[in-house]
Amino acid sequence: MSNSTRALSLCIAATLLAACGGGSDSSGGSAVSTTTSTPTQTANLAVMVSDASSEDWATIGVKIMSIALIPQGGGGNVTVYTAPSPAPVTNLVLLDQLDDLLGNTAIPLGNYSGAVLTVSANPGDILLTTATNPEAGFAAAGGLTIPADQIQVQHTHGATGSLTVPVTVNFDSPLVVSATQNNALDLEFNLAHPAFLIGHVPVGGGPTLWAVNFNGPLRRLPRYDLTRLVLRHMYGDVTAVASSTITVTKEFPTEPPANPETAIAGTQSLQISADSVNGTIFYDLDAKTRTVIENFASESSLAGRYVRIAARYQQDGTLVATRIYASDEFNNVWVSPEGHVLHVNTTSDMVTVENESGIGVPLLVDGNTQFFVREPYNPAVDSKSIGSGPAFLSNENLVRGFKVHATVVDPLATPLVAQNIEIETARYDGAISAAGSTNFVYTHNFVDTTDDYVYTMTYISGMTPNGKDFSGDAITGYKWWDFAYPTVLMDGSDAVNEFVAATGGSVNFGGTVGAVPSYGVSFSTWSDPANQSGWAAYASILIPSRLPLGNVETGLVGNSFTMTAAGGAMPVTVAVSTTMGSATLVYQIDRTDGVVTVSPVDITTSDGLTQLTAGLAVGAPVKIYGIPQANSTLKAYVLAYFTGTMPTN
């Protein structure tokens, strides 16, 4: 077992790409000598954001105002990102295991002990739109934009009109910025964290209030392999064209989307190379042409045009374009359905992609539609089509929950015909069963039963390269981690056996709740030796089971208590941990006079444990997210108890 940090998340990632030097010199004569000061040595920092998926939301929009690093040993913070004006909105839902490259900056070499990320928190700065088809029991209707007066941002600073939430993350070990290697900073906002976004529906009626909590679901994730980062398509305008590279100034689409869409101009410039080995596919959206280029020698007309680019990192930190879409109008490069797959109809050959406004966009797959998968660490796969036409939709090769970016043949056609569909995240998830040495089964049931699937997931080959671990050592074969313990990565020859053992637990409430199995999410690669004509899991996360709102049956004694669940027929034992570093995350959720407050409770202290014991009085409502154990108990990862106005289920 080796240590690494992984999670379902929104991440703020920063990667040191290249170093630029400084130095000193001196000159002297027989009587006088003069010494110049030594300039500060710096390295380029590429700042990115990424996140995990959410079945219930189409938009979770935030304005990231700034990111700064904290030097170890003192000194002023070093700003690595400042938002342009007006500040763009980042839709976290679209960054499902993707990195959105914000830009580059030069920072001093040295050690950094933490980071401060500042989010704008004025009314209207946080945008929430529910998914078209959220899960059963969700606290809001589908396709609903949450009014600003029902969104309450926690822990704000400043005066009305200039409210922010500065979030400080202290690193477990210093970030060492060196001129001789590629370094990385990755701060994750975890969308799947139960304390990140809480909907409180009061007993007796009244508006649902949504508490947004940025303090807690944020942590550092080390990055050691630039070539494995999947970058979201970037938007920009071309300011210079050379033989092998183009220079692009970043542009950000307006959020919420306008019609036609307009761009927010950025200040960061990026150099993008053509793929001289595999070729870059170049789509001229105005001329409606598709060519494959190995350089830009014949593409001088790109200067001044808007582009959308699918790019990947080389090991030396340079960016290479896999596909480029160009137009004289920004709206033309932006109008391309991007989001999670909502439906796949193999009878009509229609794929519905949910856009960031929560609207499903139907796309017809015809014989000319090409499918791509983003695998930047495997350039030959990343640059070539993995299938075409309706035949690719068979065998559940594309299911609800995949994150895709599509390009249509004609944006005015009815129905829209997909020219290509880029699979950015091939994600299967659900209840886990029948785990064995070569595969396991996912069962996922949706509100719309036509989206249900039962999928046999194969592990990748034990010889397949699979990134690096927490120490920077190369990994081969399948890896997984427990969402409750993100700093412990299971890899190597025993990873599969450990996964089989970890997913064998279950707890049973009886009644309509019944047995609660283990749940997981897996990320897949195409055409691995273990499955040469389909998907194979290279990584999985064992995620906590979310239970219905329950009530305490017997209080907390010896770090465990029992609870019943709404619809259940029998109590279940819940175990909590007070061990530093692996303690159950406890939150007190209070609603008083129309204000929801989310307060963390540290149960590694005697005061915190006393507070929890009082909160878990017999009959008190309680919300648990936990992992079923082999002894039929539930190991709590997150526990929420309530004060003030009580919630409904």
Side-chain angles (χ1 to χ4, degrees):
M1 180 166 32
S2 60
N3 289 328
S4 185
T5 304
R6 301 290 188 272
L8 289 170
S9 65
L10 153 76
C11 83
I12 306 299
T15 307
L16 292 173
L17 304 181
C20 55
S24 64
D25 58 71
S26 62
S27 60
S30 58
V32 179
S33 65
T34 303
T35 303
T36 61
S37 61
T38 303
T40 301
Q41 290 186 305
T42 62
N44 276 343
L45 197 73
V47 183
M48 295 166 281
V49 294
S50 73
D51 196 7
S53 65
S54 172
E55 182 182 330
D56 297 324
W57 296 98
T59 302
I60 301 177
V62 301
K63 294 181 179 180
I64 301 169
M65 305 306 294
S66 64
I67 303 169
L69 291 175
I70 303 171
Q72 188 178 38
N77 291 353
V78 177
T79 299
V80 298
Y81 171 73
T82 301
S85 182
V89 175
T90 299
N91 183 2
L92 309 182
V93 177
L94 293 183
L95 302 180
D96 185 358
Q97 305 299 311
L98 305 178
D99 291 283
D100 195 358
L101 184 60
L102 299 180
N104 294 329
T105 190
I107 68 167
L109 306 183
N111 295 352
Y112 296 89
S113 60
V116 179
L117 181 143
T118 301
V119 178
S120 187
N122 299 299
D125 284 346
I126 306 297
L127 306 180
L128 298 178
T129 302
T130 61
T132 302
N133 193 6
E135 63 187 328
F138 189 61
L144 177 69
T145 297
I146 305 298
D149 61 1
Q150 292 179 222
I151 301 173
Q152 299 185 356
V153 184
Q154 307 290 297
H155 315 299
T156 59
H157 291 239
T160 301
S162 58
L163 295 173
T164 62
V165 179
V167 185
T168 300
V169 178
N170 296 313
F171 301 158
D172 293 333
S173 58
L175 170 66
V176 180
V177 177
S178 169
T180 59
Q181 62 182 7
N182 290 320
N183 306 288
L185 169 69
D186 190 336
L187 302 179
E188 290 190 329
F189 275 114
N190 190 346
L191 272 194
H193 195 293
F196 175 59
L197 189 54
I198 297 172
H200 190 290
V201 185
V203 171
T208 299
L209 298 179
W210 296 91
V212 184
N213 175 41
F214 291 106
N215 287 288
L218 181 62
R219 58 192 171 204
R220 178 190 176 194
L221 169 61
R223 294 282 192 181
Y224 292 102
D225 192 350
L226 293 176
T227 65
R228 301 192 76 86
L229 293 179
V230 179
L231 299 177
R232 185 189 179 193
H233 286 199
M234 63 183 72
Y235 299 89
D237 61 275
V238 179
T239 57
V241 180
S243 176
S244 59
T245 63
I246 56 175
T247 303
V248 177
T249 298
K250 281 278 294 182
E251 302 272 1
F252 299 89
T254 302
E255 296 279 358
N259 187 17
E261 183 60 283
T262 56
I264 296 176
T267 59
Q268 296 286 342
S269 290
L270 302 169
Q271 277 201 332
I272 314 291
S273 300
D275 189 336
S276 60
V277 177
N278 302 287
T280 296
I281 303 177
F282 175 57
Y283 298 90
D284 189 320
L285 300 179
D286 297 335
K288 301 188 184 317
T289 58
R290 175 192 184 277
T291 56
V292 178
I293 61 176
E294 296 179 354
N295 56 61
F296 298 106
S298 301
E299 306 301 334
S300 59
S301 61
L302 269 175
R305 304 185 75 190
Y306 291 103
V307 290
R308 171 165 58 92
I309 301 175
R312 65 174 183 272
Y313 274 120
Q314 302 286 78
Q315 190 58 53
D316 62 1
T318 58
L319 287 166
V320 172
T322 301
R323 283 166 289 281
I324 297 176
Y325 306 84
S327 176
D328 292 336
E329 302 292 333
F330 181 80
N331 188 67
N332 290 344
V333 298
W334 184 84
V335 174
S336 53
E338 177 188 11
H340 290 91
V341 173
L342 274 181
H343 307 290
V344 178
N345 189 323
T346 56
T347 301
S348 62
D349 301 328
M350 298 294 292
V351 173
T352 303
V353 178
E354 184 176 49
N355 66 18
E356 55 200 277
S357 299
I359 299 172
V361 180
L363 302 173
L364 176 64
V365 174
D366 68 9
N368 296 318
T369 303
Q370 291 190 313
F371 292 85
F372 297 88
V373 60
R374 298 301 311 278
E375 292 191 5
Y377 51 89
N378 190 350
V381 173
D382 194 43
S383 61
K384 307 298 181 184
S385 171
I386 62 171
S388 62
F392 185 83
L393 302 180
S394 62
N395 302 319
E396 295 178 326
N397 284 331
L398 190 73
V399 300
R400 174 167 176 163
F402 276 36
K403 170 66 172 57
V404 302
H405 200 150
T407 300
V408 299
V409 176
D410 181 356
L412 300 179
T414 303
L416 293 174
V417 178
Q419 182 177 39
N420 59 48
I421 296 177
E422 295 191 29
I423 299 169
E424 296 176 315
T425 305
R427 177 176 62 88
Y428 294 88
D429 63 342
I432 297 171
S433 62
S437 59
T438 59
N439 53 49
F440 60 96
V441 176
Y442 271 131
T443 301
H444 199 148
N445 297 321
F446 296 92
V447 174
D448 187 336
T449 58
T450 61
D451 298 320
D452 294 354
Y453 61 79
V454 178
Y455 190 82
T456 300
M457 177 62 69
T458 302
Y459 311 107
I460 62 170
S461 166
M463 302 302 294
T464 299
N466 198 9
K468 298 180 181 180
D469 64 12
F470 189 84
S471 302
D473 297 327
I475 296 173
T476 57
Y478 178 70
K479 61 187 178 186
W480 68 277
W481 58 98
D482 191 328
F483 188 69
Y485 300 98
T487 58
V488 180
L489 177 68
M490 307 295 183
D491 67 287
S493 59
D494 289 332
V496 171
N497 291 334
E498 291 168 335
F499 182 78
V500 172
T503 57
S506 179
V507 297
N508 196 335
F509 284 91
T512 58
V513 178
V516 178
S518 295
Y519 285 85
V521 55
S522 293
F523 307 101
S524 309
T525 184
W526 183 262
S527 195
D528 183 79
N531 187 8
Q532 296 187 3
S533 60
W535 300 106
Y538 65 84
S540 300
I541 306 171
L542 187 61
I543 60 178
S545 301
R546 179 170 52 185
L547 306 180
L549 187 71
N551 294 94
V552 176
E553 180 81 4
T554 60
L556 183 65
V557 177
N559 288 357
S560 68
F561 67 98
T562 62
M563 65 171 287
T564 57
M570 63 185 74
V572 162
T573 298
V574 179
V576 299
S577 172
T578 59
T579 303
M580 184 73 70
S582 60
T584 300
L585 302 179
V586 175
Y587 294 88
Q588 176 192 13
I589 301 176
D590 179 80
R591 179 167 177 164
T592 302
D593 296 329
V595 177
V596 176
T597 304
V598 180
S599 304
V601 179
D602 183 1
I603 63 172
T604 65
T605 67
S606 58
D607 288 345
L609 190 58
T610 299
Q611 185 177 344
L612 175 62
T613 302
L616 295 180
V618 173
V622 62
K623 187 74 173 176
I624 301 293
Y625 303 78
I627 304 293
Q629 303 296 294
N631 62 358
S632 298
T633 64
L634 193 71
K635 188 173 186 178
Y637 169 51
V638 170
L639 182 159
Y641 69 93
F642 302 86
T643 56
T645 302
M646 292 293 107
T648 65
N649 187 28

Short mmCIF file of all heavy atoms in Angstrom, two decimals, residues 338-365:
data_model
loop_
_atom_site.label_atom_id
_atom_site.label_comp_id
_atom_site.label_asym_id
_atom_site.label_seq_id
_atom_site.Cartn_x
_atom_site.Cartn_y
_atom_site.Cartn_z
N GLU A 338 -22.19 20.44 -24.14
CA GLU A 338 -21.20 19.92 -23.21
C GLU A 338 -21.88 19.62 -21.90
O GLU A 338 -22.56 20.46 -21.32
CB GLU A 338 -20.08 20.95 -22.98
CG GLU A 338 -19.05 20.48 -21.96
CD GLU A 338 -18.05 21.56 -21.58
OE1 GLU A 338 -18.27 22.73 -21.95
OE2 GLU A 338 -17.07 21.22 -20.91
N GLY A 339 -21.71 18.42 -21.41
CA GLY A 339 -22.31 18.05 -20.14
C GLY A 339 -22.37 16.55 -19.98
O GLY A 339 -21.69 15.80 -20.69
N HIS A 340 -23.20 16.10 -19.05
CA HIS A 340 -23.32 14.68 -18.79
C HIS A 340 -24.42 14.06 -19.67
O HIS A 340 -25.42 14.71 -19.99
CB HIS A 340 -23.64 14.45 -17.31
CG HIS A 340 -22.48 14.75 -16.41
ND1 HIS A 340 -22.29 15.99 -15.86
CD2 HIS A 340 -21.45 13.98 -16.01
CE1 HIS A 340 -21.18 15.97 -15.13
NE2 HIS A 340 -20.66 14.77 -15.21
N VAL A 341 -24.20 12.84 -20.04
CA VAL A 341 -25.19 12.11 -20.83
C VAL A 341 -26.41 11.83 -19.95
O VAL A 341 -26.30 11.28 -18.86
CB VAL A 341 -24.59 10.80 -21.37
CG1 VAL A 341 -25.67 9.96 -22.06
CG2 VAL A 341 -23.45 11.09 -22.33
N LEU A 342 -27.58 12.21 -20.46
CA LEU A 342 -28.84 11.97 -19.75
C LEU A 342 -29.52 10.69 -20.21
O LEU A 342 -30.06 9.94 -19.39
CB LEU A 342 -29.80 13.14 -19.96
CG LEU A 342 -29.70 14.34 -19.02
CD1 LEU A 342 -30.76 15.36 -19.38
CD2 LEU A 342 -29.87 13.90 -17.57
N HIS A 343 -29.54 10.45 -21.52
CA HIS A 343 -30.22 9.28 -22.06
C HIS A 343 -29.46 8.78 -23.28
O HIS A 343 -28.85 9.55 -24.02
CB HIS A 343 -31.67 9.60 -22.50
CG HIS A 343 -32.50 10.26 -21.45
ND1 HIS A 343 -32.95 9.60 -20.33
CD2 HIS A 343 -32.98 11.53 -21.34
CE1 HIS A 343 -33.67 10.43 -19.58
NE2 HIS A 343 -33.68 11.61 -20.18
N VAL A 344 -29.53 7.48 -23.48
CA VAL A 344 -29.02 6.85 -24.70
C VAL A 344 -30.12 5.93 -25.22
O VAL A 344 -30.48 4.95 -24.56
CB VAL A 344 -27.73 6.05 -24.46
CG1 VAL A 344 -27.27 5.38 -25.75
CG2 VAL A 344 -26.64 6.95 -23.90
N ASN A 345 -30.68 6.26 -26.38
CA ASN A 345 -31.76 5.47 -26.97
C ASN A 345 -31.20 4.74 -28.18
O ASN A 345 -30.97 5.34 -29.23
CB ASN A 345 -32.93 6.38 -27.37
CG ASN A 345 -34.16 5.60 -27.78
OD1 ASN A 345 -34.06 4.55 -28.41
ND2 ASN A 345 -35.33 6.13 -27.44
N THR A 346 -30.97 3.44 -28.02
CA THR A 346 -30.37 2.66 -29.10
C THR A 346 -31.39 2.30 -30.19
O THR A 346 -31.00 1.80 -31.24
CB THR A 346 -29.75 1.37 -28.54
OG1 THR A 346 -30.74 0.63 -27.82
CG2 THR A 346 -28.59 1.69 -27.61
N THR A 347 -32.68 2.57 -29.94
CA THR A 347 -33.69 2.34 -30.96
C THR A 347 -33.75 3.50 -31.95
O THR A 347 -33.78 3.30 -33.17
CB THR A 347 -35.07 2.13 -30.32
OG1 THR A 347 -35.01 1.01 -29.42
CG2 THR A 347 -36.13 1.88 -31.38
N SER A 348 -33.74 4.73 -31.41
CA SER A 348 -33.80 5.92 -32.27
C SER A 348 -32.42 6.48 -32.58
O SER A 348 -32.31 7.45 -33.35
CB SER A 348 -34.65 7.00 -31.60
OG SER A 348 -34.06 7.41 -30.38
N ASP A 349 -31.37 5.92 -31.96
CA ASP A 349 -29.99 6.40 -32.13
C ASP A 349 -29.84 7.84 -31.66
O ASP A 349 -29.08 8.62 -32.22
CB ASP A 349 -29.52 6.27 -33.58
CG ASP A 349 -29.57 4.84 -34.09
OD1 ASP A 349 -29.35 3.94 -33.26
OD2 ASP A 349 -29.83 4.64 -35.28
N MET A 350 -30.56 8.19 -30.60
CA MET A 350 -30.49 9.53 -30.03
C MET A 350 -29.73 9.50 -28.71
O MET A 350 -29.97 8.64 -27.86
CB MET A 350 -31.88 10.11 -29.81
CG MET A 350 -32.72 10.28 -31.07
SD MET A 350 -32.07 11.52 -32.22
CE MET A 350 -32.34 13.01 -31.27
N VAL A 351 -28.81 10.45 -28.54
CA VAL A 351 -28.10 10.66 -27.28
C VAL A 351 -28.49 12.03 -26.76
O VAL A 351 -28.40 13.03 -27.49
CB VAL A 351 -26.57 10.58 -27.47
CG1 VAL A 351 -25.84 10.96 -26.19
CG2 VAL A 351 -26.17 9.18 -27.94
N THR A 352 -28.94 12.10 -25.51
CA THR A 352 -29.33 13.38 -24.91
C THR A 352 -28.25 13.82 -23.94
O THR A 352 -27.91 13.10 -23.00
CB THR A 352 -30.68 13.27 -24.19
OG1 THR A 352 -31.67 12.81 -25.11
CG2 THR A 352 -31.10 14.62 -23.63
N VAL A 353 -27.72 15.03 -24.18
CA VAL A 353 -26.67 15.60 -23.34
C VAL A 353 -27.24 16.77 -22.58
O VAL A 353 -27.84 17.69 -23.17
CB VAL A 353 -25.46 16.05 -24.19
CG1 VAL A 353 -24.39 16.69 -23.32
CG2 VAL A 353 -24.89 14.86 -24.96
N GLU A 354 -27.08 16.77 -21.27
CA GLU A 354 -27.59 17.87 -20.45
C GLU A 354 -26.60 19.03 -20.47
O GLU A 354 -25.43 18.86 -20.14
CB GLU A 354 -27.81 17.40 -19.01
CG GLU A 354 -28.44 18.46 -18.12
CD GLU A 354 -28.72 17.92 -16.73
OE1 GLU A 354 -27.81 17.33 -16.14
OE2 GLU A 354 -29.84 18.11 -16.25
N ASN A 355 -27.08 20.22 -20.85
CA ASN A 355 -26.18 21.37 -20.85
C ASN A 355 -26.20 22.04 -19.48
O ASN A 355 -26.91 21.62 -18.56
CB ASN A 355 -26.53 22.36 -21.97
CG ASN A 355 -27.89 23.02 -21.77
OD1 ASN A 355 -28.46 23.04 -20.69
ND2 ASN A 355 -28.42 23.58 -22.84
N GLU A 356 -25.41 23.09 -19.31
CA GLU A 356 -25.24 23.69 -18.00
C GLU A 356 -26.45 24.48 -17.54
O GLU A 356 -26.49 24.92 -16.39
CB GLU A 356 -24.01 24.59 -18.00
CG GLU A 356 -24.01 25.66 -19.07
CD GLU A 356 -22.61 26.17 -19.34
OE1 GLU A 356 -22.17 27.05 -18.60
OE2 GLU A 356 -21.97 25.68 -20.28
N SER A 357 -27.45 24.64 -18.39
CA SER A 357 -28.70 25.27 -17.98
C SER A 357 -29.72 24.23 -17.52
O SER A 357 -30.86 24.58 -17.22
CB SER A 357 -29.29 26.09 -19.15
OG SER A 357 -28.41 27.12 -19.53
N GLY A 358 -29.31 22.98 -17.49
CA GLY A 358 -30.20 21.92 -17.05
C GLY A 358 -31.13 21.42 -18.13
O GLY A 358 -32.10 20.73 -17.84
N ILE A 359 -30.84 21.77 -19.37
CA ILE A 359 -31.70 21.37 -20.49
C ILE A 359 -31.05 20.22 -21.25
O ILE A 359 -29.86 20.27 -21.57
CB ILE A 359 -31.92 22.56 -21.45
CG1 ILE A 359 -32.62 23.71 -20.70
CG2 ILE A 359 -32.73 22.15 -22.67
CD1 ILE A 359 -32.70 24.99 -21.49
N GLY A 360 -31.83 19.19 -21.53
CA GLY A 360 -31.33 18.07 -22.31
C GLY A 360 -31.31 18.40 -23.80
O GLY A 360 -32.32 18.83 -24.35
N VAL A 361 -30.17 18.21 -24.44
CA VAL A 361 -30.03 18.49 -25.86
C VAL A 361 -29.96 17.17 -26.61
O VAL A 361 -28.97 16.43 -26.48
CB VAL A 361 -28.77 19.32 -26.15
CG1 VAL A 361 -28.63 19.61 -27.64
CG2 VAL A 361 -28.78 20.62 -25.35
N PRO A 362 -30.99 16.81 -27.41
CA PRO A 362 -30.96 15.54 -28.15
C PRO A 362 -30.04 15.64 -29.36
O PRO A 362 -30.07 16.62 -30.11
CB PRO A 362 -32.41 15.32 -28.58
CG PRO A 362 -33.20 16.45 -28.03
CD PRO A 362 -32.26 17.52 -27.60
N LEU A 363 -29.24 14.61 -29.56
CA LEU A 363 -28.31 14.55 -30.69
C LEU A 363 -28.54 13.24 -31.43
O LEU A 363 -28.56 12.16 -30.82
CB LEU A 363 -26.86 14.60 -30.21
CG LEU A 363 -26.44 15.81 -29.38
CD1 LEU A 363 -25.03 15.61 -28.84
CD2 LEU A 363 -26.51 17.08 -30.22
N LEU A 364 -28.69 13.32 -32.75
CA LEU A 364 -28.82 12.13 -33.57
C LEU A 364 -27.43 11.61 -33.92
O LEU A 364 -26.58 12.35 -34.40
CB LEU A 364 -29.59 12.44 -34.85
CG LEU A 364 -29.72 11.28 -35.85
CD1 LEU A 364 -30.53 10.14 -35.26
CD2 LEU A 364 -30.34 11.78 -37.16
N VAL A 365 -27.21 10.33 -33.68
CA VAL A 365 -25.97 9.67 -34.08
C VAL A 365 -26.21 8.98 -35.41
O VAL A 365 -27.03 8.06 -35.51
CB VAL A 365 -25.53 8.64 -33.01
CG1 VAL A 365 -24.32 7.85 -33.50
CG2 VAL A 365 -25.21 9.35 -31.70
#
